[in-house]
Amino acid sequence: MAMYSFLDGMKSDFLKIISEKYSSAVDVDDLSIDYGASLENLLLKYMALCQSSAALLSGAKSVNDELAMQSALIRLRSYAIGLSSLFDAIADNAETILKIGEWPELPEGYELPDCYGNLGND
């Protein structure tokens, strides 16, 4: 399952940075990410639900069962929103972290040092 374990490492890094950058205690319940849950497990859960709904859609389409196709589409929509919400929470928390505390100004044309390899060259 460790394919997406970076998500939980990132979540841990978020908390560490918040505690370093923010002078008062931060209530994690006020943040978008559920810090009590494994992001990797949530991602895998919603991906599996999307996969099973896509299989249902395919099976229903093969026999032209419009009610089952409709049900599959409703499920796919719901699970895709769950996936989207997971990534929206990550984006929201990254933005929150950038807004708190003091950060040095990024100079124009800044490039990551070579010691980070290709991690930031996208």
Side-chain angles (χ1 to χ4, degrees):
M1 200 191 320
M3 181 177 217
Y4 301 105
S5 62
F6 74 91
L7 291 168
D8 291 314
M10 177 196 62
K11 181 178 73 171
S12 176
D13 288 338
F14 278 8
L15 286 176
K16 290 174 188 170
I17 294 168
I18 289 169
S19 70
E20 292 169 4
K21 291 282 186 186
Y22 200 68
S23 57
S24 359
V26 173
D27 185 357
V28 293
D29 292 335
D30 292 338
L31 299 170
S32 299
I33 291 174
D34 179 355
Y35 284 90
S38 165
L39 296 183
E40 178 181 18
N41 288 344
L42 286 172
L43 176 66
L44 292 172
K45 170 187 163 186
Y46 282 111
M47 291 294 290
L49 290 168
C50 283
Q51 184 177 20
S52 67
S53 295
L56 171 61
L57 179 63
S58 181
K61 176 66 180 120
S62 72
V63 294
N64 202 30
D65 183 342
E66 290 190 352
L67 292 175
M69 283 188 277
Q70 196 173 17
S71 176
L73 289 167
I74 291 168
R75 291 169 193 231
L76 272 168
R77 179 186 181 280
S78 175
Y79 302 142
I81 288 171
L83 275 172
S84 177
S85 295
L86 172 69
F87 291 105
D88 286 343
I90 293 169
D92 288 347
N93 282 37
E95 183 176 356
T96 297
I97 292 168
L98 287 167
K99 288 180 177 180
I100 63 173
E102 295 289 323
W103 291 94
E105 188 173 328
L106 280 174
E108 190 174 328
Y110 173 79
E111 292 186 25
L112 287 171
D114 291 338
C115 63
Y116 295 109
N118 290 329
L119 293 176
N121 299 328
D122 40 10

